[in-house]
Amino acid sequence: MAAKIESERFGETADGNLVTKYQLKNSLGTSVDIIDFGGIVTSINTPDRNGHIDDITTGFDKLSEYEKNPAYFGALIGRIANRIYQGKFCVDGKGYSVAVNRDPNHLHGGLVGFDKKIWQAEVSEGRLKLSYVSPDGEEGYPGSLSVTVVYELTADNELFIDYHATTDRTTIVNLTNHAYFNLAGHKAANIYDHIVTINADEYLPKTEAGVPTGEIAKVDGTLFDLRQPVLLKDRLLQVQGPPPGFDHNFCLKKDETGRSFAARVKHPESGRMLEVFTDQPGIQFYTGNFLDGLSGKNGASYKQHSSFALETQNYPDAINHPNFPNSILKPGEVYRHRTWYKFSTSS
């Protein structure tokens, strides 16, 4: 049975554009709220093992706060998720420079990325389809990029996100969603009591600038071996920063189904569990290292390590590393990315 979708006015941007909120709700009591500004997931309400409903994703009360959104809470990210070293890359032998908005790198699409765009929304058969056309030269990227993102909340309690993109000129693309989670509820103090598993034999070491060195390293014998369940308080603070914590790409083990298991997070006290499946080669595991008490919805204060993100995507800075998966999209090709976030409880 398709999820029920209702809509209501969420607010108006500083330049006068109306923003609508869409709520997807299934028969299991789970609901997901999404706005057409930035395609942002503003809330995810799920039951715990006793049926108590709580919102497990970070966010804000007001649209004006999402217009700033320095942590990219819940947002669609593009054209390029993650970092491009020094904001420089080459396509078809031509060099391009894009904004260095997180010194010394280009981060999450630039100064005004997809997270700050109004998307055209269409509701059909329990799905919310968002569309945006990024014009040639926007944020310094070549080519006009036509993007659609479909959100669907299934009867099996999965939030399915289906990304498509085409271009009229050779360009680069790497899309993701930047939802943050705390399975105890978004107002909980930290994520140290969460148990994490990531299905990756390899990860990408980083430079001091926060971009991959180019090495694809084995996780064996390192703090990045999360193939077996790990309690975060026993591991997170050992990962050197500054600041401490995970902000790394894991190279996922893939199968032939197009829906590979990527990660699992459990919260023993509430019984909530989140599983991630994807067709992408990588997942960025981020443990909110740079959160510094940001004021959020319902009076929340989002401090360091108060939430985590599992961003399915291509490897960071892939255009500058020929040994990484391809991030180039040419005319006539279709970029496709599918991710499933499955919500459940355990005894």
Side-chain angles (χ1 to χ4, degrees):
M1 181 178 177
K4 181 180 180 181
I5 301 181
E6 297 182 343
S7 63
E8 64 180 41
R9 185 182 187 275
F10 188 73
E12 193 173 286
T13 64
D15 54 5
N17 289 309
L18 178 66
V19 172
T20 300
K21 181 179 76 174
Y22 298 84
Q23 183 176 83
L24 289 63
K25 189 170 185 177
N26 66 17
S27 60
L28 300 176
T30 295
S31 65
V32 179
D33 291 0
I34 301 162
I35 57 176
D36 53 13
F37 177 82
I40 294 171
V41 176
T42 61
S43 70
I44 300 174
N45 287 280
T46 64
D48 66 9
R49 69 161 63 91
N50 297 315
H52 174 72
I53 303 288
D54 207 344
D55 187 353
I56 61 168
T57 193
T58 56
F60 302 109
D61 291 316
K62 299 178 181 178
L63 178 59
S64 59
E65 296 169 301
Y66 281 113
E67 289 186 273
K68 301 171 187 174
N69 199 6
Y72 300 90
F73 286 158
L76 293 178
I77 304 296
R79 291 187 191 192
I80 290 289
N82 221 305
R83 294 160 178 82
I84 299 175
Y85 181 52
Q86 295 184 337
K88 298 181 184 299
F89 63 92
C90 288
V91 171
D92 285 346
K94 181 178 179 180
Y96 293 89
S97 294
V98 290
V100 175
N101 58 317
R102 188 66 60 87
D103 191 44
N105 304 309
H106 176 84
L107 180 69
H108 292 335
L111 298 173
V112 185
F114 289 179
D115 59 297
K116 293 182 172 61
K117 302 297 183 181
I118 299 287
W119 293 65
Q120 181 179 350
E122 177 184 343
V123 174
S124 176
E125 299 180 346
R127 299 177 179 90
L128 174 64
K129 178 181 177 181
L130 300 178
S131 303
Y132 176 70
V133 178
S134 176
D136 181 26
E138 184 172 68
E139 289 295 318
Y141 290 101
S144 175
L145 189 74
S146 298
V147 184
T148 62
V149 179
V150 176
Y151 287 103
E152 180 181 3
L153 181 62
T154 73
D156 295 326
N157 236 24
E158 294 182 343
L159 178 61
F160 174 44
I161 311 179
D162 192 3
Y163 309 77
H164 289 76
T166 58
T167 185
D168 63 358
R169 183 178 167 195
T170 303
T171 190
I172 56 176
V173 62
N174 184 25
L175 307 178
T176 196
N177 179 279
H178 210 306
Y180 291 67
F181 301 93
N182 188 315
L183 300 183
H186 77 101
K187 296 176 74 172
N190 59 61
I191 52 173
Y192 299 149
D193 56 353
H194 288 51
I195 297 171
V196 176
T197 306
I198 296 181
N199 188 29
D201 293 330
E202 299 168 322
Y203 79 105
L204 301 182
K206 301 189 303 181
T207 69
E208 291 185 0
V211 292
T213 63
E215 177 189 6
I216 299 175
K218 295 291 186 182
V219 300
D220 302 75
T222 75
L223 297 171
F224 302 94
D225 190 350
L226 304 177
R227 292 173 293 185
Q228 297 299 318
V230 169
L231 182 65
L232 276 180
K233 77 172 184 179
D234 294 338
R235 185 68 60 88
L236 187 156
L237 295 175
Q238 298 182 59
V239 181
Q240 297 301 306
F246 290 97
D247 190 8
H248 296 77
N249 179 86
F250 289 78
C251 308
L252 296 172
K253 293 194 288 185
K254 297 182 68 175
D255 58 35
E256 302 303 318
T257 66
R259 178 191 159 110
S260 301
F261 169 64
R264 179 182 298 113
V265 184
K266 294 182 178 181
H267 181 246
E269 184 175 343
S270 69
R272 288 191 182 94
M273 181 166 67
L274 169 66
E275 294 174 288
V276 184
F277 303 84
T278 190
D279 60 4
Q280 292 299 287
I283 192 167
Q284 187 83 5
F285 180 38
Y286 175 53
T287 50
N289 313 332
F290 291 97
L291 296 178
D292 59 0
L294 189 62
S295 296
K297 57 190 174 184
N298 308 124
S301 177
Y302 301 129
K303 298 179 180 179
Q304 186 181 67
H305 304 153
S306 61
S307 57
F308 66 90
L310 287 165
E311 308 156 60
T312 55
Q313 57 189 259
N314 195 357
Y315 298 177
D317 200 29
I319 188 61
N320 291 317
H321 296 279
N323 59 321
F324 287 4
N326 173 55
S327 62
I328 293 175
L329 183 69
K330 297 180 179 181
E333 298 177 342
V334 178
Y335 168 88
R336 185 85 186 273
H337 167 180
R338 295 175 298 168
T339 290
W340 296 260
Y341 292 96
K342 182 175 181 62
F343 308 102
S344 61
T345 58
S346 58
S347 58

